[in-house]
């Protein structure tokens, strides 16, 4: 067990002395968790293979699941990646700092274990003052997956990080809740045609404006196929302890179906949880179920989704019911996370 230090920081003006202490931990090969605009990340010096291997150990993450390298300055791109195409610079100038990850050829300074042995590297610059200050103080590229135990819902607060990784990492920088709440969009530029490997914070429609031919790869791999492409594609991922049941059809049908399922499960002795948009909460209030309100629109749904799953877990829900959202904009990324949390199960209505 490690004594995990918690530093509270104001995102608007992160305390320079605390940032320096955290940067020194990165230099010494330690692990520092930090907020980003997407979810909390668990960082290590991306040029130090031993430090990177500690990320995998702390998370219980298989070595076949590659990690994203985080930058604070566009000039670092040519250090961590090789043969960077002009398109990468165009995209970086437009979307960085922000929730777009680019898969490029890996440069030799990045050890193979960052990328699960592949000759590519995934890179992004987070849009959050705390990691930008940290990386700049350390003057390092920082390898960082989401700061949760492997396959659990991503951490969107410092409390979630401590719940999963307290005693296993050196420092947690608490900068409040992560504003977007879902991971970055991953775009592979090493393919003949750019491929979205994971939908995320930057909507597909926005990328299509720039790259009309971009493709969404929506494969959901079984564990024995892992390591082939992007193991974030594993079918089971982002999972709460409770079983997740998804519903999709016209709204009236879905609501009737969810009400019936909640009744049935409760009668069978299960503790039922429901994650719902505020607008639909009234349909479920009379049911024997724990309600978690996600907010009024898709951005709020995204921000609160992982928090809701963890909260219903904390309340010992056996089963969590969710109405899937319209598959446009952020809705594509939301449905992707819901499907993986539910291991692909959609209820028949
Ligand atoms: P996390 O930050 O925990 O969401 O995990 C990072 C995810 O990024 C991995 O699970 C992969 O899906 C993806 N990834 C990282 N590096 C690469 C790479 N070199 N090629 C393809 N996908 C990658
Ligand atoms: Mg993750």
């Amino acid at each position: 067990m490690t004594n995990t230090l918690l530093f509270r920081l104001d995102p608007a003006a992160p305390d320079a002395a605390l940032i320096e202490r955290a940067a020194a931990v990165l230099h010494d090969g330690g692990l520092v968790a930090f907020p980003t605009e997407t979810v909390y990340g668990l960082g290590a010096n991306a040029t130090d293979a031993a430090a990177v291997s500690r990320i995998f150990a702390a998370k219980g993450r298989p070595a076949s699941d590659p990690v994203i390298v985080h930058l604070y300055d566009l000039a670092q791109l040519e250090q961590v990646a090789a043969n960077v195409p002009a398109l990468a610079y165009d995209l970086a100038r437009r979307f960085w700092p922000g929730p777009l990850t680019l898969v490029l050829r890996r440069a030799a300074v990045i050890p193979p274990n960052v990328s699960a042995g592949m000759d590519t590297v995934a890179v992004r610059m987070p849009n959050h003052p705390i990691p930008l200050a940290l990386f700049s103080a350390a003057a390092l590229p920082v390898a960082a997956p989401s700061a949760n135990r492997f396959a659990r819902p991503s951490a969107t607060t410092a409390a979630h990080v401590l719940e999963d990784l307290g005693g296993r990492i050196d420092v947690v920088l608490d900068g409040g809740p992560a504003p977007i709440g879902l991971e970055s969009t991953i775009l592979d530029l090493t393919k003949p045609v750019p491929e979205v490997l994971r939908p995320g914070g930057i909507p597909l429609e926005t990328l299509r404006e720039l790259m009309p031919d971009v493709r969404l790869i929506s494969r959901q791999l079984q564990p024995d196929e892992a390591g082939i492409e992007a193991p974030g594609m594993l079918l089971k991922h982002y999972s709460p302890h409770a079983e997740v049941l998804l519903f999709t059809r016209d709204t009236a049908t879905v609501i009737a179906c969810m009400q019936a399922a909640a009744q049935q499960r409760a009668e069978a002795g299960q503790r039922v949880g429901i994650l719902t948009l505020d607008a639909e909460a009234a349909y479920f209030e009379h049911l024997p179920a724990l309600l978690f309100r996600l907010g009024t629109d898709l951005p709020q749904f995204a921000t609160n989704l992982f928090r809701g799953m963890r909260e219903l877990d904390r309340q010992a829900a056996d089963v969590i019911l969710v109405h899937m959202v319209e598959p446009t904009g952020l809705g594509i990324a939301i449905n992707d996370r819901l499907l993986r949390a539910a291991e692909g199960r959609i209820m028949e209505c």
Side-chain angles (χ1 to χ4, degrees):
M1 285 284 275
T2 312
N3 177 29
T4 302
L5 299 175
L6 178 66
F7 297 163
R8 288 208 173 76
L9 294 173
D10 176 0
D15 182 282
L18 292 177
I19 289 287
E20 284 298 338
R21 279 178 66 188
V25 169
L26 289 179
H27 263 279
D28 292 344
L31 300 183
V32 178
F34 48 81
T36 77
E37 81 281 30
T38 59
V39 299
Y40 270 68
L42 177 60
N45 177 355
T47 66
D48 177 348
V52 169
S53 69
R54 293 192 58 212
I55 294 177
F56 290 89
K59 289 193 52 152
R61 180 177 177 109
S64 58
D65 195 350
V67 171
I68 296 171
V69 173
H70 291 69
L71 310 179
Y72 62 94
D73 186 339
L74 193 55
Q76 292 174 289
L77 189 53
E78 61 177 23
Q79 296 162 15
V80 301
N83 310 322
V84 180
L87 176 60
Y89 281 100
D90 292 346
L91 291 165
R93 275 190 215 97
R94 164 127 185 217
F95 294 107
W96 288 0
L100 180 67
T101 296
L102 301 176
V103 176
L104 301 164
R105 294 283 154 216
R106 178 167 57 86
V109 68
I110 300 298
N113 66 340
V114 168
S115 299
M118 296 184 292
D119 64 358
T120 56
V121 63
V123 190
R124 91 170 185 106
M125 189 187 295
N127 186 17
H128 196 294
I130 291 175
L132 292 176
L134 172 69
F135 306 162
S136 155
L140 286 172
V142 172
S146 52
N148 50 275
R149 291 280 290 176
F150 181 67
R152 293 274 299 143
S154 300
T156 59
T157 66
H160 297 163
V161 178
L162 288 172
E163 185 177 290
D164 277 22
L165 300 172
R168 312 178 69 92
I169 65 177
D170 300 297
V171 178
V172 179
L173 302 180
D174 182 353
I180 295 178
L182 290 183
E183 302 79 357
S184 59
T185 300
I186 302 181
L187 180 68
D188 188 344
L189 296 181
T190 68
K191 300 285 163 58
V193 174
E195 290 181 357
V196 170
L197 303 180
R198 175 177 75 186
I202 301 280
L204 201 60
E205 294 88 335
T206 309
L207 295 178
R208 282 227 167 89
E209 286 166 20
L210 286 156
M211 297 170 289
D213 54 350
V214 68
R215 297 200 300 156
L216 173 63
I217 305 300
S218 61
R219 291 180 60 208
Q220 297 183 334
L221 301 177
Q222 298 301 329
D224 57 354
E225 302 175 87
I228 302 170
E229 208 122 23
M233 290 179 173
L234 276 178
L235 180 54
K236 179 177 162 63
H237 208 104
Y238 314 111
S239 309
H241 298 303
E243 180 188 5
V244 176
L245 305 181
L246 302 180
F247 298 81
T248 177
R249 284 279 288 278
D250 61 285
T251 301
T253 307
V254 162
I255 284 168
C257 195
M258 283 175 71
Q259 288 169 333
Q263 285 290 2
Q264 238 171 39
R265 295 289 184 135
E267 276 159 26
Q270 289 195 319
R271 246 171 120 78
V272 178
I274 299 178
L275 293 173
T276 177
L277 278 170
D278 296 2
E280 292 177 4
Y283 299 112
F284 307 121
E285 268 161 357
H286 64 286
L287 295 169
L290 306 158
L291 268 194
F292 186 94
R293 288 175 177 73
L294 292 164
T296 54
D297 56 15
L298 286 193
Q300 289 184 18
F301 193 120
T303 303
N304 295 316
L305 177 60
F306 290 136
R307 192 166 67 84
M309 288 181 187
R310 282 177 180 265
E311 178 56 28
L312 291 178
D313 262 354
R314 207 184 54 74
Q315 296 183 52
D318 298 300
V319 60
I320 299 177
L321 281 50
V322 197
H323 182 180
M324 293 179 80
V325 300
E326 279 296 312
T328 58
L330 260 187
I332 295 176
I334 290 172
N335 285 343
D336 171 81
R337 304 309 187 271
L338 287 174
L339 271 169
R340 291 174 207 282
E343 298 178 58
R345 283 181 305 263
I346 297 182
M347 300 302 285
E348 300 281 341
C349 287

